[in-house]
Amino acid sequence: MSTLPPPAVNEFPAESIEKQVYGIVENLKEFLPIPNDRNRLGYNLYKFVTGEGDEPKIMLKNAKVKIVGIKYDDLVKRFEDALKEVKKP
């Protein structure tokens, strides 16, 4: 019995909102050691940027992510500062 190769994955364009927001979370991976937590935060930040989600302070609390090496308020500040630089198409 053999398995089929996985489907091809298309990357988001560099200027897309998705790429920018997930990049913010990946840049802070030293404070967020669990990859699934980073994916969840990326999705929640995307929802916030598109006007559907909670602000970062509430979102981080509700996501229940593991934070290492930084205080909660400092991490919120980093997210808020990085989100100011997101360019919407």
Side-chain angles (χ1 to χ4, degrees), residues 66-84:
K66 181 177 181 177
I67 301 172
V68 176
I70 192 171
K71 292 182 180 180
Y72 169 79
D73 293 329
D74 295 335
L75 186 60
V76 169
K77 178 74 172 143
R78 286 186 185 220
F79 274 121
E80 290 172 346
D81 291 343
L83 284 172
K84 291 177 185 173

Side-chain angles (χ1 to χ4, degrees), residues 14-18 20-21 24 49 82-89:
E15 296 299 317
S16 70
I17 294 174
E18 293 91 347
Q20 294 177 54
V21 171
I24 290 170
V49 169
L83 284 172
K84 291 177 185 173
E85 298 177 12
V86 171
K87 299 173 187 168
K88 296 181 183 178

Side-chain angles (χ1 to χ4, degrees), residues 2 4 25 34 40 43 49-50 64 79 81-83 86-87:
S2 65
L4 297 174
V25 178
I34 302 173
R40 191 167 51 249
Y43 176 74
V49 169
T50 58
K64 297 180 182 175
F79 274 121
D81 291 343
L83 284 172
V86 171
K87 299 173 187 168

